[in-house]
């Protein structure tokens, strides 16, 4: 059971909650960040947009109620994850935001009401297909393609210009100057047609290569290939759907387009592909919008490309400018998401997996069934309650759904199709790995194996310890850990630092270079900051934020051995459940022995809390950054002031010393102006302040 499954378990538990409070913030952020990584970086979403939106809205509401807990890296304050490390990154001219999702007629009516309340002039709508591919931005200067970027984190993306030029519909030269435009930034979607998807997969299978899972992943993965010649072979195509920025030759000239649909016409005249005219519709009422979206959904399967909904935009460009945007999405556009794909299949058996924290996760093995372009054979059922609520039985005909590119979900059984041979599912009372009795706390929905030396747990803990989210030990992934465990080379985390490399070198695939890489990666991990080690220990309910919070309150990880429940609960993000979990972990002899072994092996137990340059020239000052900086990344700027002794404030208040304002600053700037005591600096003034303090 992988780290992915642990996050899915946490996701499901959060989705089952009816209400959320301040104690849920840390877990909500980490779960949302995990799913953003799955979507934006790995092109492999694991939950539906509706489920993501439920958790996102929950976090947003808590942060509105408690604005002081808002942090710059909260999912509500940005779009997606960072760009891929395999490519250089560059900034978009205008932030490349997500779209707010709607799912039914009521959602669209609510959105239109907000538009009507905000505008004092008439407006119309443009409706376009929402292509399900890889988002891209194109910058042209003096008619030449200057760069092509992926979405990335919304502020900056991967520079993939060479690959983009191999995509049909992305010309290298376009006559923008004939329309007095010296620089433009376009938004588009790179797609692989259904026909090309099937052909590419057939070619791969003939060459004994792995086939693509779906066309969206295929398009996104192809754009990130190192060899642009291989990109051309994949037969990708691009549709342009938005002109996000333009610069005229001189200030006296005016842009000829006043409406979005006119921009689309212009781009088509210049040689770009846009959605077919018969698929784009301009209407004047929200009733027409709703009717068109429902009618188009009925023909979605007849298109050459995958779409997962429609995009509705306010047509008038001045109205778009007046409505503006949040840090997450434009207010003048929404996506209307189509209903998920559904199919019937047979529930053949239930398998039970053991996670690193002892959670037992049932997985339904179903008759392989094609749904939404993917063959499904395994579906997570999450816990015993879910099995009982849906009255699932072995041999049942079940209804499953798959929304977009996400993992499938069992909706319910079809009891009318039972023939009497179906078997009631009895959840195991013993761990499937170590056979110890399973336990379930009154406030939890899942059963656990509390045997800390359970082999299945030990393996999963080692996998998590080495993962990118924790100690990030490169070259030591899941397959190697399982192999070393099976061969008896390792039994627990501390054994990772005592691998018998003389024996490993005799295995196939472990040459001198591989051994050296492993040795260097393990040695480098010993110097990782203590909060990564604390996170890597796999304490139930302790995620990234909580691990950092704990390390900010101590000077050495061993201090946690003596902290009381009461003192733990005084820390931010630490509620009763988390506090009891921490104390339980540090009171168990097995874990105490592990800590001793890791410390003896040279891992870093000392936190950096008290090494924060207390004598720095900005000691005692608080900073907050808003908007997009042009000269450096926001994270780099934050680290610079931290190095000078300052702290990063989570929100604007009378206690804030400096607000650093970049481009497209939002509500934080207005709030700081109202307070009146906050020092508001633009980027050049901030750079001058740094120069003075470093002098």
């Amino acid at each position: 059971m992988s780290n992915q499954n642990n996050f899915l378990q946490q996701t499901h538990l959060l989705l089952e909650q009816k209400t959320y409070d301040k104690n849920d913030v840390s877990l909500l952020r980490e779960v949302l960040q995990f799913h953003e990584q799955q979507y934006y970086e790995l092109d492999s979403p694991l939950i539906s947009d509706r489920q993501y939106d439920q958790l996102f809205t929950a976090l947003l509401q808590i942060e509105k109620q408690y604005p002081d807990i808002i942090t710059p890296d909260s999912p509500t304050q940005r779009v997606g994850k960072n760009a891929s490390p395999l490519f250089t990154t560059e900034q978009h001219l205008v932030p490349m935001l997500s779209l707010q999702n709607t799912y039914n007629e009521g959602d669209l009516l609510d959105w239109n009401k907000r538009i009507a309340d905000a505008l004092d002039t008439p407006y119309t709508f443009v409706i376009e297909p929402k292509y399900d591919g890889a988002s891209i931005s194109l910058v042209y200067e003096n008619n030449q393609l200057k760069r092509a970027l992926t979405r990335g984190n919304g502020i900056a993306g991967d520079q993939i210009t060479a690959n983009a030029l191999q995509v049909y519909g992305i010309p290298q030269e376009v006559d923008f100057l004939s329309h007095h435009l010296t620089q433009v930034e376009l938004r588009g979607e790179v797609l692989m047609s259904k026909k090309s998807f099937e052909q590419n997969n057939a070619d791969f299978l003939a060459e004994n290569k792995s086939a693509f899972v779906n066309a969206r992943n295929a398009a996104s993965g192809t754009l990130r290939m190192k060899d642009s010649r291989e990109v051309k072979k994949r037969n990708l195509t691009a549709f342009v759907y938005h002109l996000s920025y333009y610069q005229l030759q001189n200030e006296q000239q005016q842009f000829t387009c006043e409406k979005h649909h006119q921009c689309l016409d212009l781009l088509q005249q210049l040689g770009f592909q846009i959605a077919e005219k018969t698929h784009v519709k301009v209407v004047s009422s929200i009733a027409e919008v709703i009717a068109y979206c429902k009618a188009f959904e009925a023909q979605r399967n007849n298109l050459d490309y995958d779409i997962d909904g429609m995009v509705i935009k306010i047509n008038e460009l001045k109205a778009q400018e007046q409505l503006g945007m949040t840090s997450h999405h434009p207010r003048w556009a929404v996506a209307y998401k189509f209903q998920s794909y559904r199919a019937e299949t047979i529930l053949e058996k239930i398998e039970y997996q053991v996670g690193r924290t002892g959670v037992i996760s049932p997985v339904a093995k179903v008759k392989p069934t094609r749904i939404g372009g993917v063959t499904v054979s395994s579906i997570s059922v999450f816990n015993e309650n879910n099995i009982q609520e849906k009255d699932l039985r072995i041999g049942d005909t079940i209804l499953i759904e798959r929304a977009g590119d996400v993992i499938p979900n069992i909706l319910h059984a079809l009891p009318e199709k039972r023939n009497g041979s179906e078997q009631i599912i009895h959840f195991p009372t013993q761990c499937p790995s170590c056979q110890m009795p399973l336990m379930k706390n009154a406030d939890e929905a899942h059963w656990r194996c509390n045997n800390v030396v359970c082999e299945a747990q030990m393996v999963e803990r080692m996998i998590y310890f080495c993962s990118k989210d924790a100690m990030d030990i490169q070259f030591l992934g899941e397959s190697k850990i399982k192999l070393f465990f099976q061969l008896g080379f390792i039994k627990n985390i501390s054994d990772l630092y005592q691998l018998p490399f003389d024996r490993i070198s005799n295995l196939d695939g472990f040459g001198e270079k591989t051994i050296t890489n492993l040795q260097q990666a393990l040695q480098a991990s010993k110097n990782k900051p203590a909060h990564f080690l604390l996170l890597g220990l796999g304490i139930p309910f302790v995620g990234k934020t909580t691990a950092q919070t704990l390390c900010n309150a101590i000077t050495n990880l061993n201090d946690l051995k003596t902290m009381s429940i009461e003192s733990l609960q005084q820390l931010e993000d630490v509620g009763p459940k988390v506090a009891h979990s921490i104390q339980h972990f540090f009171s168990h002899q097995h874990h105490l022995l592990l800590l001793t072994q890791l410390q003896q092996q040279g891992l870093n137990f000392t936190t950096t809390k008290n090494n924060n340059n207390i004598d720095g020239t900005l000691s005692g000052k608080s900073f907050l950054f808003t908007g997009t900086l042009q000269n450096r990344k926001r994270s780099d700027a934050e680290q610079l002031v931290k190095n000078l002794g300052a702290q990063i404030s989570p929100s604007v208040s009378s206690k804030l010393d400096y607000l650093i304002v970049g481009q497209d600053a939002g509500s934080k700037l207005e709030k700081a102006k109202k307070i009146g005591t906050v020092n508001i600096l633009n980027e050049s003034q901030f750079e001058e302040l740094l120069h003075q303090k470093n002098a």
Side-chain angles (χ1 to χ4, degrees):
M1 183 177 176
S2 65
N3 185 41
Q4 181 183 99
N5 284 344
N6 286 308
F7 268 108
L8 284 174
Q9 185 71 244
Q10 292 175 318
T11 301
H12 185 73
L13 292 175
L14 284 171
L15 290 169
E16 285 184 332
Q17 288 184 212
K18 303 301 181 184
T19 59
Y20 304 87
D21 58 33
K22 195 174 180 181
N23 290 329
D24 295 314
V25 166
S26 176
L27 184 57
L28 280 167
R29 286 175 179 165
E30 290 181 20
V31 166
L32 287 168
Q33 287 164 357
F34 166 78
H35 288 296
E36 286 173 350
Q37 182 185 43
Q38 290 293 134
Y39 186 91
Y40 289 108
E41 292 185 35
L42 304 179
D43 306 308
S44 183
L46 298 175
I47 59 173
S48 67
D49 287 343
R50 185 188 291 267
Q51 290 170 319
Y52 177 91
D53 287 344
Q54 177 183 330
L55 301 181
F56 184 90
T57 301
L59 177 60
L60 190 65
Q61 290 174 344
I62 298 171
E63 290 183 342
K64 284 182 178 180
Q65 187 176 357
Y66 304 100
D68 289 345
I69 68 173
I70 298 175
T71 58
D73 64 343
S74 172
T76 63
Q77 304 301 303
R78 54 178 174 69
V79 179
K81 284 281 192 178
N82 292 329
S84 169
L86 299 178
F87 296 84
T88 59
T89 61
E90 295 188 37
Q91 286 195 341
H92 302 296
L93 298 181
V94 175
M96 200 167 182
L97 304 180
S98 295
L99 285 173
Q100 185 180 10
N101 291 324
T102 63
Y103 298 94
N104 52 50
E105 181 177 333
D107 291 343
L108 286 172
L109 291 172
D110 289 342
W111 173 71
N112 183 56
K113 184 178 186 305
R114 293 193 296 273
I115 298 297
D117 291 343
L119 296 178
D120 52 9
T121 57
Y123 55 91
T124 56
F125 305 90
V126 180
I127 315 168
E128 308 166 39
K130 186 178 182 298
Y131 291 114
D132 196 17
S135 298
I136 193 172
S137 74
L138 306 170
V139 174
Y140 286 84
E141 294 181 1
N142 297 319
N143 289 352
Q144 299 296 317
L145 179 64
K146 183 72 173 179
R147 64 177 179 270
L149 304 177
T150 64
R151 178 193 295 273
N153 65 1
I155 302 300
D158 296 335
Q159 205 272 67
I160 54 165
T161 309
N163 286 349
L165 287 171
Q166 309 305 316
V167 176
Y168 178 74
I170 300 181
Q172 186 169 6
E173 183 174 0
V174 180
D175 189 14
F176 285 108
L177 288 174
S178 64
H179 296 271
H180 313 296
L181 299 171
T182 58
Q183 185 183 48
V184 298
E185 182 180 52
L186 308 177
R187 304 290 196 230
E189 200 83 359
V190 175
L191 306 167
M192 183 179 287
S193 70
K194 295 176 182 177
K195 182 178 179 181
S196 294
F197 175 73
E198 296 296 337
Q199 184 60 57
N200 280 317
N201 272 352
D203 293 342
F204 290 154
L205 292 174
E207 298 171 10
N208 292 320
K209 296 179 180 178
S210 299
F212 287 125
V213 175
N214 52 57
R216 179 186 180 276
N217 288 18
S220 184
T222 300
L223 284 179
R224 289 184 169 91
M225 296 181 70
K226 291 184 178 181
D227 189 346
S228 58
R229 293 170 298 182
E230 291 298 316
V231 176
K232 189 174 182 64
K233 296 178 183 178
R234 301 286 177 84
N235 196 26
L236 299 180
T237 190
F239 287 87
V240 172
Y241 57 77
H242 186 59
L243 196 163
S244 59
Y245 175 85
Y246 65 86
Q247 189 175 74
L248 293 164
Q249 285 178 307
N250 60 66
E251 296 180 356
Q252 284 71 42
Q253 293 165 331
Q254 287 188 339
F255 187 43
T256 55
C257 299
E258 296 181 350
K259 297 185 177 182
H260 173 67
H261 82 269
Q262 294 172 340
C263 290
L264 294 179
D265 290 342
L266 173 62
L267 292 173
Q268 188 176 44
Q269 291 170 19
L270 290 169
F272 291 98
Q273 286 193 116
I274 65 168
E276 292 183 27
K277 287 289 186 181
T278 55
H279 296 164
V280 179
K281 193 172 184 67
V282 179
V283 299
S284 57
S285 72
I286 194 66
E288 292 174 284
V289 169
I290 293 169
Y292 188 69
C293 287
K294 290 182 176 180
F296 207 95
E297 184 170 7
Q299 59 171 315
R300 63 189 289 195
N301 293 329
N302 300 328
L303 304 180
D304 294 332
Y305 300 93
D306 287 331
I307 67 171
D308 59 357
M310 306 296 287
V311 178
I312 303 98
K313 302 173 183 176
I314 300 302
N315 195 16
E316 290 71 22
L317 300 186
K318 286 186 177 180
Q320 289 185 10
E321 184 177 353
Q322 183 179 341
L323 290 166
M325 60 188 69
T326 71
S327 61
H328 183 265
H329 59 264
R331 296 187 179 91
W332 45 266
V334 292
Y336 174 79
K337 303 290 287 189
F338 290 156
Q339 293 296 310
S340 58
Y341 292 102
R342 294 184 175 184
E344 293 182 13
T345 188
I346 303 297
L347 175 56
E348 297 181 332
K349 64 178 179 178
I350 297 285
E351 292 183 354
Y352 299 92
Q353 299 177 339
V354 186
R356 63 182 171 85
T357 62
V359 170
I360 308 299
S361 296
V363 176
K365 296 297 181 178
V366 303
K367 182 179 178 180
T369 303
R370 194 79 174 166
I371 176 172
V374 171
T375 299
V376 173
S377 59
S378 295
I379 306 174
S380 177
V381 201
F382 299 109
N383 55 51
E384 182 185 30
N385 291 349
N386 202 23
I387 293 174
Q388 294 175 345
E389 288 169 1
K390 295 177 179 179
D391 189 24
L392 301 178
R393 303 182 186 184
I394 304 299
D396 262 343
T397 300
I398 56 175
L399 184 65
I400 63 175
E401 70 172 358
R402 183 173 177 271
D405 292 334
V406 307
I407 61 173
N409 174 52
I410 297 177
L411 290 175
H412 55 77
L414 299 174
E416 65 275 13
K417 295 195 174 186
R418 288 174 179 162
N419 59 21
S421 64
E422 295 78 17
Q423 303 170 30
I424 295 175
I425 298 171
H426 297 286
F427 208 88
T429 58
Q430 294 179 317
C431 173
S433 174
C434 68
Q435 281 70 56
M436 292 291 286
L438 299 180
M439 308 291 290
K440 183 164 74 168
N441 296 330
D443 60 341
E444 293 184 355
H446 46 257
W447 289 89
R448 287 180 185 272
C449 169
N450 288 329
N451 176 18
V452 296
V453 294
C454 170
E455 288 191 355
Q457 291 183 55
M458 301 291 277
V459 172
E460 291 298 329
R461 283 200 288 270
M462 287 188 283
I463 293 171
Y464 180 71
F465 183 86
C466 297
S467 70
K468 183 178 180 180
D469 287 335
M471 294 295 281
D472 192 18
I473 303 177
Q474 297 182 25
F475 312 108
L476 194 52
E478 181 175 343
S479 60
K480 287 189 177 72
I481 290 172
K482 288 183 174 179
L483 173 64
F484 294 162
F485 184 84
Q486 290 168 1
L487 294 174
F489 295 167
I490 53 177
K491 292 184 178 180
N492 59 42
I493 289 171
S494 65
D495 290 342
L496 295 170
Y497 293 94
Q498 301 180 76
L499 284 170
F501 288 107
D502 55 336
R503 298 170 65 186
I504 293 174
S505 62
N506 295 323
L507 302 175
D508 290 340
F510 287 88
E512 183 178 347
K513 184 176 181 181
T514 301
I515 296 293
T516 300
N517 287 338
L518 274 174
Q519 291 172 326
Q520 292 176 346
L522 284 164
Q523 187 61 34
S525 72
K526 294 181 179 181
N527 299 318
K528 293 276 288 184
H531 65 272
F532 286 109
L533 173 55
L534 180 60
L535 180 65
L537 294 175
I539 304 172
F541 312 118
V542 174
K544 294 179 184 178
T545 304
T546 305
Q548 184 68 71
T549 298
L550 291 168
C551 285
N552 287 340
I554 58 177
T555 58
N556 189 287
L557 293 188
N558 289 311
D559 296 343
L560 292 170
K561 298 176 184 177
T562 57
M563 287 190 73
S564 66
I565 295 290
E566 292 73 20
S567 58
L568 286 168
Q569 285 187 239
Q570 291 177 5
L571 302 177
E572 188 177 0
D573 301 322
V574 179
K577 184 166 63 174
V578 177
H580 279 89
S581 178
I582 295 167
Q583 189 184 66
H584 180 266
F585 182 91
F586 284 95
S587 65
H588 199 288
Q589 288 301 314
H590 174 79
H591 297 145
L592 295 178
L593 176 60
L594 173 63
L595 289 168
T596 300
Q597 292 170 336
L598 292 176
Q599 193 165 19
Q600 289 173 346
Q601 288 160 356
L603 276 75
N604 177 33
F605 273 55
T606 304
T607 68
T608 56
K609 180 218 177 218
N610 293 326
N611 300 326
N612 215 13
N613 205 353
I614 58 174
D615 296 324
T617 53
L618 290 175
S619 178
K621 301 297 183 182
S622 58
F623 281 72
L624 180 61
F625 294 80
T626 184
T628 305
L629 301 181
Q630 299 301 305
N631 297 324
R632 58 176 90 239
K633 293 180 180 178
R634 184 187 292 185
S635 59
D636 293 341
E638 290 175 349
Q639 190 59 52
L640 281 173
V641 297
K642 285 181 182 179
N643 292 341
L644 292 171
Q647 294 190 2
I648 303 300
S649 175
S651 61
V652 176
S653 70
S654 58
K655 297 179 181 179
L656 180 65
D657 293 304
Y658 292 96
L659 179 69
I660 311 304
V661 179
Q663 288 188 356
D664 300 313
S667 59
K668 292 184 178 67
L669 175 59
E670 298 304 317
K671 186 174 180 180
K673 288 178 178 179
K674 291 179 181 178
I675 292 174
T677 58
V678 179
N679 294 301
I680 301 174
L681 306 181
N682 60 30
E683 190 169 0
S684 62
Q685 292 170 326
F686 170 62
E687 296 292 340
E688 178 60 27
L689 175 66
L690 289 178
H691 177 73
Q692 293 173 2
K693 298 302 181 181
N694 281 309

